[in-house]
Amino acid sequence: MRDWVTAYIGLGANLGNPAHALHSAVQALAANPGIAQCRASSLYSSAPIDSSGPDYTNAVLKLQTRLSAPDLLVCLQTIELQAGRLRPYRNAPRTLDLDLLLYGDGQVHSPSLVVPHPRMWERAFVLVPLAEVGAPCVDAHMLARVASQPIRRLPP
């Protein structure tokens, strides 16, 4: 059996009830027998990257998994589809977006998956909650580089 690997998942939504969608996604992931020890960050609000649509609600989930990175991606995409995720165009508003940010110390470069997530280092809505759940790869210098991006922690 595969050893447990620490993975970090970025969660986001800006259609419907985003907070409920994120909480439901965390519950769905925690119910998977190949996933354990889920720890979610606080919820944060941020503007869409392309300035269209409502603000996003974002979080990061730290978990332990025995799933391979490709199998974890399939799990994430299944949860997105169950939440009504459509992909009409790049950066379209969405009911749920789940991104595999980090998978242990591993690197994956395939047509369907790139880990570490290639743009995570540029985004406050990823780095701030990622730091909150204790990702050792996020330091004060990285947070300072995205400090000008507006992000607001939502009340519990």
Side-chain angles (χ1 to χ4, degrees):
M1 181 169 271
R2 180 182 294 274
D3 289 337
W4 292 99
V5 175
T6 301
Y8 294 88
I9 310 301
L11 302 92
N14 72 336
L15 295 177
N17 183 337
H20 180 265
L22 271 56
H23 288 298
S24 294
V26 170
Q27 290 174 341
L29 286 163
N32 185 304
I35 294 174
Q37 299 179 12
C38 294
R39 179 175 171 230
S41 71
S42 301
L43 297 180
Y44 291 84
S45 177
S46 63
I49 291 174
D50 64 2
S51 300
S52 68
D55 284 356
Y56 273 86
T57 299
N58 299 101
V60 167
L61 180 66
K62 176 182 181 179
L63 54 81
Q64 299 295 311
T65 185
R66 286 190 166 153
L67 300 174
S68 67
D71 288 343
L72 183 54
L73 177 64
V74 168
C75 178
L76 298 176
Q77 291 173 337
T78 299
I79 293 168
E80 287 178 340
L81 287 173
Q82 291 169 344
R85 170 75 189 264
L86 301 174
R87 297 174 189 270
Y89 55 91
R90 183 174 171 84
N91 294 327
R94 55 204 71 174
T95 55
L96 183 63
D97 184 29
L98 301 174
D99 290 325
L100 179 52
L101 303 172
L102 298 165
Y103 184 84
D105 294 329
Q107 293 188 7
V108 179
H109 295 281
S110 75
S112 60
L113 179 62
V114 177
V115 176
H117 190 285
R119 292 169 302 283
M120 64 182 266
W121 312 110
E122 305 163 4
R123 298 176 172 170
F125 66 83
V126 173
L127 291 181
V128 171
L130 187 61
E132 182 182 324
V133 293
C137 60
V138 180
D139 61 27
H141 178 71
M142 290 177 175
L143 292 171
R145 284 197 319 236
V146 298
S148 65
Q149 297 175 20
I151 181 171
R152 179 175 54 93
R153 185 176 178 175
L154 297 173

